[in-house]
Amino acid sequence: MPFLGQDWRSPGECWVKFQDGWKRSQLYREEEEESNINGSHRERQLCTRLQQESNDNKIVEDCEVAAKKRKKDHFNISTQSEYFYREKWIHVHKGSTRERHGYCTLGEAFNRLDFSSAIEDMRRFNYVVKLLQLIANSQLTSLSGAAQKNYFNILEKIVRKVIEDQQNPRLIKNLLQDLGSALCILVREVGRCVLVGNINIWVYRMETILNWQHQLNNLKITRRIGNSVTLSDLPLHMQRSILHRFSDGLDIINLGQVTSTLHMLSEDKHLWKSLCKYHYSEKQFCRHLILTENGCVDWKLMYFTLQKYCPKKEQYGDSLQFCRHCSILFWKDYYLALLFKDTGHPCTANNPESFCTPVSPQHFIDLFKF
């Protein structure tokens, strides 16, 4: 049977609900127009009165807005997020696919990976500090505002740890020096480079860095009091063996200033020869060969000369791992790996260990250069 009524696809009439029931919107509009005619005169009176009051209160409102803005700027500078991400692994996406739109950036990876807990681990501490130093030298402006805030929160946690534990102060001094010089260049070149955030925030961060440097310069290492065995109480062959475990020449020189015995051991040419062979190749030796008056190689002087021209070999107790099979960047827990054969990330490969490679701090930054 054909449909002879109104088109069933029409929207129909609109109804408005009131306390005494429902009314059609057309009837409601007619009643509203009548009430508007009666109330238009009163609205004009209210408008003129409000204009007079607004002119009187305009100066007061401007002052209140300026005060609120200053309070907001101070709040943004002084407040710090106490929450740190605790993720052990992230996917590294370098392009858009049907399943995922976008890619993973350096700031996102730095935000999501658990660097806050990593600095509490002695094996990962130097790795995180070196990564922060590389970011300060070249990638600071590429970080988002949230990533920059997380960067300085982690840095503050590192400085507090160094002051409390009284360990690795020279490492953090070098980091703060590089970061301070980078911030001075950025603030000086405002307008010619992209600087995320208010200039007042960056000036406040520079003042914070100067305060940290002052605290580290005034740091005094407390002398241990007790009857425990010290380094100087060990036999000479054990002290020599400990010096051969050092990978930094400045640490050997600083340790040699403690006692006359350690100074004698720190001047051993075999020690500096093994240190040079550990960091540099024979080709680099030939380019910067330094001989003494007797015709012998001055290995100590050659080590510091090579350090100016060639990068040293990086050594870390633990580092981030990258799985080539599933493109996942993760922290590996060796304790769980031994107990439960846990790879540290959800890998679908038959032999996940064969696809995992350690990631150096520079390689971590290079992963996000698209």
Side-chain angles (χ1 to χ4, degrees):
M1 183 175 179
F3 183 74
L4 301 177
Q6 288 184 340
D7 190 357
W8 58 274
R9 294 171 297 178
S10 65
E13 297 179 345
C14 296
W15 292 75
V16 182
K17 186 177 181 181
F18 294 92
Q19 293 180 356
D20 55 349
W22 290 83
K23 294 183 180 180
R24 293 185 201 176
S25 61
Q26 186 175 2
L27 296 176
Y28 172 71
R29 288 172 185 170
E30 292 176 357
E31 294 176 358
E32 193 177 24
E33 288 176 358
E34 292 179 359
S35 61
N36 288 339
I37 293 172
N38 296 328
S40 61
H41 180 65
R42 280 179 283 176
E43 288 181 357
R44 293 195 193 98
Q45 293 178 351
L46 285 173
C47 289
T48 53
R49 189 182 302 172
L50 288 173
Q51 286 179 358
Q52 293 176 357
E53 292 179 357
S54 63
N55 292 330
D56 296 336
N57 298 330
K58 187 175 181 180
I59 299 176
V60 179
E61 290 178 359
D62 292 339
C63 294
E64 290 179 356
V65 169
K68 288 180 180 179
K69 187 177 183 303
R70 286 196 301 269
K71 186 176 180 181
K72 184 179 179 181
D73 291 340
H74 178 72
F75 178 79
N76 291 332
I77 293 173
S78 58
T79 54
Q80 294 177 349
S81 176
E82 296 296 333
Y83 177 75
F84 295 97
Y85 284 88
R86 303 287 181 180
E87 295 186 25
K88 299 297 181 182
W89 58 269
I90 61 169
H91 283 280
V92 180
H93 297 277
K94 293 189 176 182
S96 299
T97 61
R98 290 183 178 180
E99 294 79 11
R100 180 183 174 91
H101 178 69
Y103 53 89
C104 184
T105 61
L106 176 63
E108 183 181 357
F110 186 78
N111 267 345
R112 292 174 57 191
L113 284 171
D114 188 10
F115 287 103
S116 177
S117 299
I119 61 178
E120 300 294 339
D121 192 343
M122 187 182 300
R123 301 169 302 171
R124 300 174 180 175
F125 182 82
N126 291 352
Y127 181 88
V128 177
V129 172
K130 181 62 177 179
L131 179 60
L132 294 179
Q133 192 170 13
L134 291 177
I135 292 176
N137 290 331
S138 60
Q139 301 295 323
L140 193 61
T141 55
S142 65
L143 298 180
S144 62
Q148 290 176 6
K149 199 170 187 179
N150 189 31
Y151 179 95
F152 283 93
N153 288 344
I154 293 175
L155 182 59
E156 182 181 4
K157 194 173 181 180
I158 289 175
V159 174
R160 288 204 305 262
K161 177 179 174 57
V162 170
I163 294 175
E164 292 174 1
D165 299 344
Q166 297 182 350
Q167 296 179 4
N168 300 312
R170 180 170 57 84
L171 192 65
I172 309 305
K173 286 180 181 179
N174 295 335
L175 169 60
L176 294 178
Q177 184 177 1
D178 292 346
L179 181 60
S181 59
L183 287 184
C184 288
I185 295 174
L186 291 176
V187 173
R188 196 183 306 121
E189 295 182 355
V190 171
R192 287 181 287 178
C193 63
V194 179
L195 197 63
V196 179
N198 194 339
I199 186 65
N200 295 327
I201 297 177
W202 290 97
V203 172
Y204 175 80
R205 287 170 178 171
M206 291 177 60
E207 294 175 355
T208 305
I209 291 172
L210 292 176
N211 186 21
W212 289 340
Q213 289 177 336
H214 180 71
Q215 293 179 15
L216 291 175
N217 291 331
N218 295 332
L219 180 63
K220 295 182 179 179
I221 308 298
T222 56
R223 187 180 181 87
R224 289 192 307 168
I225 300 175
N227 297 325
S228 58
V229 179
T230 60
L231 183 62
S232 57
D233 297 332
L234 298 177
L236 287 179
H237 69 279
M238 295 185 67
Q239 296 183 28
R240 185 181 294 107
S241 178
I242 291 173
L243 283 173
H244 277 270
R245 298 294 189 276
F246 282 29
S247 61
D248 193 347
L250 290 177
D251 292 336
I252 296 176
I253 292 178
N254 292 333
L255 185 60
Q257 297 175 357
V258 177
T259 60
S260 58
T261 304
L262 289 173
H263 177 72
M264 178 191 66
L265 295 175
S266 64
E267 295 294 329
D268 185 13
K269 64 178 182 180
H270 298 288
L271 172 64
W272 292 100
K273 182 179 179 180
S274 62
L275 191 62
C276 288
K277 289 186 175 181
Y278 174 76
H279 286 288
Y280 308 106
S281 62
E282 293 183 0
K283 292 182 180 180
Q284 294 171 340
F285 293 161
C286 297
R287 293 177 183 176
H288 306 280
L289 191 62
I290 299 176
L291 301 176
T292 60
E293 296 178 355
N294 300 329
C296 300
V297 178
D298 191 345
W299 292 103
K300 181 179 179 181
L301 183 58
M302 193 165 72
Y303 168 79
F304 289 103
T305 304
L306 289 170
Q307 192 176 5
K308 298 178 182 179
Y309 302 101
C310 308
K312 294 192 302 182
K313 182 179 179 180
E314 296 183 358
Q315 181 184 15
Y316 305 104
D318 191 11
S319 63
L320 285 168
Q321 302 284 324
F322 182 73
C323 181
R324 300 187 303 273
H325 177 74
C326 49
S327 298
I328 288 181
L329 194 64
F330 64 96
W331 289 109
K332 184 176 180 180
D333 194 336
Y334 292 94
Y335 180 74
L336 295 178
L338 291 174
L339 290 180
F340 307 106
K341 296 182 179 180
D342 186 11
T343 59
H345 71 289
C347 188
T348 58
N350 295 327
N351 188 12
E353 296 292 337
S354 61
F355 293 96
C356 296
T357 56
V359 178
S360 65
Q362 184 61 50
H363 186 203
F364 176 85
I365 294 176
D366 294 338
L367 279 175
F368 304 99
K369 290 183 178 180
F370 308 123

